Amino acid sequence: MATDASKTPVITDARRDLAAAYRLIAHFGLDDSIYTHISARAQADKEDFLINPYGYRFEEVTAGNLVTVDIDGHVVDDPEGAGINKAGFTIHSAIHAARPDVHCVLHTHSVAGVAVSCLEEGLLPLNQWAMEFHGRTAYHDYEGIALDLAERERLVADLGDKSIMVLRNHGMLVCGRTVGEAFKRMHNLERSCQAQLAVMATGMKIRRPDEALAEHTAQQYEKWDADHDVSDRDPEWEAYLRLLKRIQPDFEG
Ligand SMILES: [Zn+2]
């Protein structure tokens, strides 16, 4: 159900940040045509979430054309009447409903992420990037394209209280307390996957950090997150927003 196409949405930080995340994912080559999604809670105190209009490439997403969907899949606001992707709703609504601590859910089908999702051992803590995720990564087995609403329960059960999930034979998913946090996590996860594949491709003996060092490093990342409240300034995210304002200033429109 589309709403009045002439209605002009109020541009909030959630809209601006989410549109920025779409543009940045495309800028760094992690998009997949019109597929995969990034969603953000529309307001802190409501379950409604914002998601991309159906059929738009990521570089076409703007703060003003994002679609608002309620947790049952009803379109609440659709400025351009484009609708949404049903499979995207299945995955994202499940997590927004189950995890009030999560403001943003970011899912990708990057080549490196899909490749690591196909490995039996999954993501390995081989380097500093990847150690952020050591012992903190969930795995969800592939069930076909996510059109079955019953899969939502299994997705949520597999995710538990974690913020990173490998969707086996499919791709990657991260959660964040803010859009910026989710984007930065995905950027780090992508680098981790690319580095893992590059190391494996050498065929040479791999030097694996021991368990204690990987856990220590993961805890260092966690402490950084714990020490930074979501209301604090985020200089790294601000730097990404400045990048976009230089190269794609229309994202805020
Ligand atoms: Zn997907």
Side-chain angles (χ1 to χ4, degrees):
M1 181 187 72
T3 54
D4 181 1
S6 67
K7 185 179 174 187
T8 304
V10 176
I11 305 299
T12 62
D13 281 358
R15 283 182 171 275
R16 179 205 63 182
D17 284 354
L18 184 57
Y22 276 99
R23 298 297 187 96
L24 287 163
I25 287 292
H27 175 72
F28 288 103
L30 310 186
D31 57 334
D32 179 14
S33 184
I34 62 167
Y35 303 106
T36 87
H37 308 278
I38 317 168
S39 59
R41 205 172 285 274
Q43 296 173 38
D45 58 345
K46 293 185 76 173
E47 285 187 321
D48 294 356
F49 60 92
L50 300 161
I51 199 162
N52 51 331
Y54 182 68
Y56 288 35
R57 288 181 56 84
F58 282 20
E59 71 266 20
E60 298 176 315
V61 174
T62 66
N65 66 26
L66 289 162
V67 179
T68 308
V69 189
D70 73 17
I71 217 69
D72 297 316
H74 302 117
V75 171
V76 174
D77 179 49
D78 185 358
E80 298 187 358
I84 61 163
N85 179 304
K86 296 294 182 199
F89 168 76
T90 302
I91 293 175
H92 290 253
S93 66
I95 298 171
H96 283 294
R99 291 282 301 272
D101 59 311
V102 168
H103 178 79
C104 178
V105 179
L106 200 174
H107 169 45
T108 57
H109 297 164
S110 70
V111 173
V114 171
V116 169
S117 83
C118 299
L119 298 174
E120 190 63 45
E121 281 193 288
L123 184 67
L124 300 174
L126 296 179
N127 55 69
Q128 180 170 281
W129 290 317
M131 282 186 248
E132 173 180 357
F133 311 115
H134 176 63
R136 288 142 181 86
T137 303
Y139 288 83
H140 175 69
D141 287 345
Y142 190 60
E143 301 187 15
I145 295 169
L147 296 170
D148 178 5
L149 289 178
E151 186 178 354
R152 296 198 292 183
E153 288 178 23
R154 296 184 287 276
L155 269 164
V156 165
D158 286 338
L159 180 64
D161 62 357
K162 294 186 170 67
S163 295
I164 301 99
M165 185 151 69
V166 176
L167 302 175
R168 290 193 187 276
N169 309 97
H170 175 179
M172 294 288 162
L173 184 144
V174 302
C175 304
R177 296 174 298 172
T178 63
V179 173
E181 184 173 82
F183 173 78
K184 291 182 294 178
R185 269 189 190 137
M186 183 57 83
H187 191 261
N188 216 10
L189 181 59
E190 174 68 16
R191 295 261 177 170
S192 304
C193 292
Q194 290 181 7
Q196 178 174 329
L197 297 172
V199 168
M200 293 173 79
T202 66
M204 299 178 74
K205 186 171 168 54
I206 297 172
R207 186 179 177 97
R208 287 180 71 148
D210 67 28
E211 160 67 28
L213 181 57
E215 176 59 27
H216 168 67
T217 309
Q219 288 181 12
Q220 289 179 309
Y221 277 105
E222 273 182 346
K223 183 171 187 318
W224 170 271
D225 290 343
D227 289 346
H228 291 79
D229 189 77
V230 292
S231 60
D232 292 351
R233 269 194 61 209
D234 184 342
E236 188 178 357
W237 181 240
E238 289 173 8
Y240 280 119
L241 292 177
R242 288 196 301 276
L243 165 69
L244 272 186
K245 284 178 182 179
R246 283 197 304 277
I247 63 172
Q248 297 182 32
D250 65 316
F251 81 96
E252 294 187 277

